[in-house]
Protein backbone atom coordinates (compact mmCIF):
# COMPACT_ATOMS: atom_id res chain seq x y z
CA UNK A 1 0.00 0.00 0.00
CA UNK A 2 1.35 3.36 -1.03
CA UNK A 3 0.09 6.58 0.59
CA UNK A 4 -0.20 9.52 -1.78
CA UNK A 5 -1.05 12.94 -0.36
CA UNK A 6 -2.17 15.61 -2.80
CA UNK A 7 -2.51 19.23 -1.73
CA UNK A 8 -3.79 22.03 -3.95
CA UNK A 9 -4.73 25.69 -3.62
CA UNK A 10 -8.27 24.95 -4.81
CA UNK A 11 -10.16 21.68 -4.94
CA UNK A 12 -9.28 19.45 -7.90
CA UNK A 13 -11.98 18.59 -10.37
CA UNK A 14 -12.99 14.97 -10.82
CA UNK A 15 -11.30 14.95 -14.17
CA UNK A 16 -8.06 16.21 -12.72
CA UNK A 17 -8.22 13.64 -9.92
CA UNK A 18 -8.89 10.88 -12.41
CA UNK A 19 -6.01 11.92 -14.63
CA UNK A 20 -3.66 12.10 -11.69
CA UNK A 21 -4.76 8.79 -10.21
CA UNK A 22 -4.54 6.90 -13.49
CA UNK A 23 -1.11 8.25 -14.21
CA UNK A 24 0.12 7.33 -10.76
CA UNK A 25 -1.49 3.92 -10.98
CA UNK A 26 0.42 3.26 -14.20
CA UNK A 27 3.64 4.36 -12.52
CA UNK A 28 3.11 2.18 -9.45
CA UNK A 29 1.13 -0.62 -11.10
CA UNK A 30 2.19 -3.31 -8.65
CA UNK A 31 1.06 -1.38 -5.59
CA UNK A 32 -2.21 -0.46 -4.02
CA UNK A 33 -2.48 3.34 -3.93
CA UNK A 34 -4.31 5.31 -1.26
CA UNK A 35 -5.08 8.92 -2.21
CA UNK A 36 -5.68 11.74 0.25
CA UNK A 37 -6.70 15.17 -1.11
CA UNK A 38 -6.36 18.42 0.81
CA UNK A 39 -7.07 22.06 -0.05
CA UNK A 40 -4.38 24.42 1.20
CA UNK A 41 -4.90 28.05 0.25
CA UNK A 42 -1.41 28.93 1.43
CA UNK A 43 -0.07 27.18 -1.68
CA UNK A 44 -1.43 30.22 -3.60
CA UNK A 45 -1.74 28.24 -6.82
CA UNK A 46 -0.90 24.80 -8.24
CA UNK A 47 -0.45 21.59 -6.28
CA UNK A 48 2.00 19.37 -4.44
CA UNK A 49 2.12 15.57 -4.47
CA UNK A 50 3.75 13.48 -1.76
CA UNK A 51 4.41 9.84 -2.67
CA UNK A 52 5.38 7.80 0.38
CA UNK A 53 6.88 10.87 1.98
CA UNK A 54 8.69 12.04 -1.17
CA UNK A 55 7.39 15.52 -1.97
CA UNK A 56 6.92 16.89 -5.49
CA UNK A 57 5.93 20.48 -4.85
CA UNK A 58 4.98 22.49 -7.94
CA UNK A 59 2.86 25.07 -6.09
CA UNK A 60 3.33 28.80 -6.56
CA UNK A 61 4.28 29.01 -2.88
CA UNK A 62 7.21 26.59 -3.50
CA UNK A 63 8.28 28.53 -6.59
CA UNK A 64 8.16 31.81 -4.71
CA UNK A 65 10.27 30.26 -1.97
CA UNK A 66 12.78 29.07 -4.55
CA UNK A 67 12.83 32.52 -6.05
CA UNK A 68 13.34 34.11 -2.63
CA UNK A 69 16.26 31.76 -1.97
CA UNK A 70 17.87 32.70 -5.28
CA UNK A 71 17.60 36.46 -4.68
CA UNK B 1 142.75 114.76 93.35
CA UNK B 2 144.69 111.64 94.09
CA UNK B 3 144.11 108.37 92.35
CA UNK B 4 143.43 105.59 94.83
CA UNK B 5 144.29 102.39 93.12
CA UNK B 6 142.82 100.29 95.87
CA UNK B 7 139.66 102.23 95.60
CA UNK B 8 139.60 101.69 91.87
CA UNK B 9 140.23 98.04 92.21
CA UNK B 10 137.59 97.83 94.87
CA UNK B 11 135.22 99.68 92.65
CA UNK B 12 136.07 97.41 89.74
CA UNK B 13 135.53 94.32 91.82
CA UNK B 14 132.36 95.83 93.16
CA UNK B 15 131.20 96.64 89.65
CA UNK B 16 132.13 93.18 88.49
CA UNK B 17 130.20 91.60 91.29
CA UNK B 18 127.18 93.82 90.60
CA UNK B 19 127.52 93.02 86.92
CA UNK B 20 127.74 89.34 87.66
CA UNK B 21 124.80 89.54 90.01
CA UNK B 22 122.74 91.50 87.50
CA UNK B 23 123.74 89.14 84.74
CA UNK B 24 122.81 86.16 86.78
CA UNK B 25 119.66 87.57 88.37
CA UNK B 26 118.20 89.75 85.58
CA UNK B 27 119.92 89.47 82.21
CA UNK B 28 119.79 85.70 81.91
CA UNK B 29 116.15 85.38 83.06
CA UNK B 30 115.18 88.20 80.72
CA UNK B 31 117.06 86.50 77.89
CA UNK B 32 115.41 83.22 78.77
CA UNK B 33 112.05 84.97 78.88
CA UNK B 34 112.66 86.54 75.50
CA UNK B 35 113.76 83.24 74.08
CA UNK B 36 110.70 81.52 75.47
CA UNK B 37 108.47 84.25 74.03
CA UNK B 38 110.18 84.00 70.65
CA UNK B 39 109.73 80.28 70.76
CA UNK B 40 106.04 80.62 71.65
CA UNK B 41 105.56 83.14 68.86
CA UNK B 42 107.31 80.84 66.45
CA UNK B 43 105.19 77.91 67.64
CA UNK B 44 102.06 80.00 67.34
CA UNK B 45 103.07 81.11 63.85
CA UNK B 46 103.80 77.52 62.92
CA UNK B 47 100.46 76.43 64.34
CA UNK B 48 98.74 79.28 62.51
CA UNK B 49 100.48 78.24 59.29
CA UNK B 50 99.37 74.66 59.88
CA UNK B 51 95.83 75.83 60.56
CA UNK B 52 95.90 77.94 57.40
CA UNK B 53 97.20 75.00 55.45
CA UNK B 54 94.49 72.81 56.94
CA UNK B 55 91.93 75.48 56.08
CA UNK B 56 93.19 75.56 52.51
CA UNK B 57 93.01 71.78 52.35
CA UNK B 58 89.49 71.86 53.72
CA UNK B 59 88.55 74.53 51.17
CA UNK B 60 89.94 72.33 48.42
CA UNK B 61 88.06 69.31 49.77
CA UNK B 62 84.91 71.42 50.04
CA UNK B 63 85.26 72.66 46.46
CA UNK B 64 86.01 69.15 45.22
CA UNK B 65 83.06 67.73 47.14
CA UNK B 66 80.77 70.47 45.87
CA UNK B 67 82.01 69.96 42.33
CA UNK B 68 81.53 66.20 42.54
CA UNK B 69 78.08 66.63 44.10
CA UNK B 70 77.13 69.09 41.40
CA UNK B 71 78.38 66.76 38.66
CA UNK B 72 76.58 63.83 40.27
CA UNK B 73 73.36 65.85 40.56
CA UNK B 74 73.70 66.93 36.93
CA UNK B 75 74.28 63.33 35.87
CA UNK B 76 71.30 62.14 37.89
CA UNK B 77 69.16 64.91 36.41
CA UNK B 78 70.25 63.94 32.91
CA UNK B 79 69.52 60.27 33.59
CA UNK B 80 66.10 61.08 35.05
CA UNK B 81 65.31 63.30 32.07
CA UNK B 82 66.48 60.56 29.71
CA UNK B 83 64.42 57.91 31.49
CA UNK B 84 61.37 60.17 31.60
CA UNK B 85 61.76 60.86 27.89
CA UNK B 86 62.10 57.15 27.14
CA UNK B 87 59.07 56.36 29.33
CA UNK B 88 57.04 59.08 27.63
CA UNK B 89 58.05 57.73 24.22
CA UNK B 90 57.15 54.20 25.23
CA UNK B 91 53.83 55.35 26.64
CA UNK B 92 53.12 57.26 23.45
CA UNK B 93 53.94 54.24 21.31
CA UNK B 94 51.76 52.01 23.49
CA UNK B 95 48.91 54.51 23.27
CA UNK B 96 49.30 54.70 19.50
CA UNK B 97 49.35 50.93 19.24
CA UNK B 98 46.30 50.66 21.48
CA UNK B 99 44.44 53.28 19.43
CA UNK B 100 45.35 51.48 16.20
CA UNK B 101 44.14 48.17 17.61
CA UNK B 102 40.92 49.77 18.83
CA UNK B 103 40.40 51.43 15.45
CA UNK B 104 40.92 48.10 13.69
CA UNK B 105 38.54 46.37 16.09
CA UNK B 106 35.99 49.15 15.67
CA UNK B 107 36.30 48.97 11.86
CA UNK B 108 35.92 45.22 11.97
CA UNK B 109 32.88 45.41 14.23
CA UNK B 110 31.40 48.16 12.08
CA UNK B 111 31.92 46.08 8.94
CA UNK B 112 30.38 43.08 10.67
CA UNK B 113 27.46 45.18 11.83
CA UNK B 114 27.00 46.58 8.32
CA UNK B 115 27.10 43.07 6.88
CA UNK B 116 24.58 41.82 9.43
CA UNK B 117 22.37 44.86 8.85
CA UNK B 118 22.60 44.35 5.09
CA UNK B 119 21.76 40.69 5.50
CA UNK B 120 18.84 41.57 7.73
CA UNK B 121 17.68 44.15 5.21
CA UNK B 122 18.02 41.63 2.40
CA UNK B 123 15.98 39.17 4.40
CA UNK B 124 13.34 41.81 5.08
CA UNK B 125 13.30 42.79 1.41
CA UNK B 126 12.91 39.12 0.42
CA UNK B 127 10.03 38.71 2.85
CA UNK B 128 8.39 41.88 1.60
CA UNK B 129 8.88 40.83 -2.02
CA UNK B 130 7.46 37.42 -1.23
CA UNK B 131 4.47 38.91 0.56
CA UNK B 132 3.82 41.30 -2.33
CA UNK B 133 4.19 38.47 -4.85
CA UNK B 134 1.80 36.29 -2.83
CA UNK B 135 -0.78 39.06 -2.68
CA UNK B 136 -0.42 39.92 -6.36
CA UNK B 137 -0.56 36.28 -7.44
CA UNK B 138 -3.36 35.43 -5.02
CA UNK B 139 -5.56 38.24 -6.26
CA UNK B 140 -4.68 37.89 -9.95
CA UNK B 141 -5.34 34.16 -10.30
CA UNK B 142 -9.00 33.39 -10.94
CA UNK B 143 -10.61 29.94 -10.88
CA UNK B 144 -9.98 29.37 -14.58
CA UNK B 145 -6.31 30.15 -14.27
CA UNK B 146 -6.13 27.96 -11.20
CA UNK B 147 -7.53 25.03 -13.12
CA UNK B 148 -5.20 25.63 -16.02
CA UNK B 149 -2.23 25.85 -13.66
CA UNK B 150 -3.20 22.63 -11.92
CA UNK B 151 -3.65 20.85 -15.27
CA UNK B 152 -0.18 21.95 -16.32
CA UNK B 153 1.32 20.94 -13.03
CA UNK B 154 -0.33 17.50 -13.05
CA UNK B 155 1.48 16.82 -16.33
CA UNK B 156 4.68 18.25 -14.92
CA UNK B 157 4.52 16.11 -11.79
CA UNK B 158 3.65 12.96 -13.70
CA UNK B 159 6.67 13.53 -15.94
CA UNK B 160 8.92 14.06 -12.95
CA UNK B 161 7.84 10.89 -11.15
Amino acid sequence: MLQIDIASAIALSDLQKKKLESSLQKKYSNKELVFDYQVKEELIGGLSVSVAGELHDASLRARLNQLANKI
Amino acid sequence: MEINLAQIIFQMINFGMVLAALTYLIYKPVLKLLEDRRKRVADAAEAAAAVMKEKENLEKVKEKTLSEASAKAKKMEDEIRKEAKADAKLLLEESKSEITAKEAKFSSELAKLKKEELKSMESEVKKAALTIAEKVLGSSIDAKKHQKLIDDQINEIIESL
Side-chain angles (χ1 to χ4, degrees):
Chain A
M1 194 172 76
L2 190 64
Q3 178 70 36
I4 298 179
D5 298 312
I6 298 160
S8 56
I10 59 167
L12 299 183
S13 66
D14 290 341
L15 190 63
Q16 286 168 332
K17 285 181 183 177
K18 197 175 173 183
K19 186 179 177 184
L20 195 57
E21 286 173 11
S22 63
S23 299
L24 289 168
Q25 197 65 63
K26 278 183 189 173
K27 175 84 179 170
Y28 304 103
S29 54
N30 56 344
K31 290 182 180 175
E32 183 187 347
L33 304 181
V34 178
F35 292 93
D36 179 42
Y37 292 93
Q38 285 186 323
V39 174
K40 292 183 179 176
E41 289 182 2
E42 62 267 24
L43 295 180
I44 304 172
L47 77 163
S48 69
V49 178
S50 172
V51 182
E54 187 184 346
L55 183 65
H56 301 269
D57 194 348
S59 67
L60 289 183
R61 156 69 65 190
R63 291 184 181 186
L64 280 173
N65 285 338
Q66 288 170 1
L67 184 64
N69 289 331
K70 284 180 183 175
I71 295 172
Chain B
M1 191 172 169
E2 191 177 326
I3 296 170
N4 189 345
L5 189 61
Q7 186 70 28
I8 289 170
I9 291 168
F10 175 76
Q11 285 298 332
M12 283 176 70
I13 291 167
N14 194 27
F15 180 75
M17 287 175 69
V18 169
L19 186 65
L22 285 175
T23 300
Y24 181 74
L25 294 173
I26 296 172
Y27 182 68
K28 281 190 177 175
V30 167
L31 271 182
K32 190 174 182 293
L33 199 70
L34 287 173
E35 181 61 25
D36 290 346
R37 187 174 172 276
R38 191 195 59 76
K39 201 175 176 183
R40 279 203 309 275
V41 168
D43 288 346
E46 195 177 334
V51 167
M52 285 301 288
K53 196 175 178 184
E54 185 67 21
K55 187 188 169 191
E56 282 174 8
N57 287 339
L58 285 173
E59 285 289 336
K60 282 180 185 172
V61 170
K62 179 187 164 189
E63 281 176 13
K64 191 180 172 188
T65 307
L66 279 175
S67 174
E68 283 175 358
S70 178
K72 198 174 176 182
K74 181 81 172 61
K75 193 179 173 187
M76 281 174 72
E77 188 185 345
D78 288 346
E79 282 176 2
I80 288 168
R81 278 183 193 280
K82 200 174 170 184
E83 282 177 15
K85 204 173 174 182
D87 286 348
K89 193 179 175 185
L90 188 67
L91 199 64
L92 191 66
E93 282 173 3
E94 282 176 358
S95 298
K96 277 182 184 175
S97 174
E98 197 176 339
I99 287 169
T100 306
K102 281 187 178 176
E103 276 179 351
K105 192 180 173 188
F106 178 73
S107 297
S108 170
E109 284 178 0
L110 189 65
K112 193 179 170 188
L113 206 64
K114 275 184 183 175
K115 199 175 174 182
E116 285 174 1
E117 195 62 30
L118 200 62
K119 202 174 175 183
S120 172
M121 281 173 71
E122 281 177 359
S123 176
E124 291 298 320
V125 169
K126 277 183 194 174
K127 281 181 188 171
L130 197 59
T131 306
I132 291 166
E134 283 172 9
K135 289 191 184 296
V136 170
L137 284 171
S139 61
S140 65
I141 297 175
D142 57 16
K144 199 175 173 183
K145 286 179 182 171
H146 263 301
Q147 294 300 332
K148 173 78 170 61
L149 184 64
I150 287 170
D151 284 337
D152 292 343
Q153 288 187 348
I154 286 171
N155 293 330
E156 191 182 315
I157 287 171
I158 289 167
E159 282 173 15
S160 72
L161 285 171

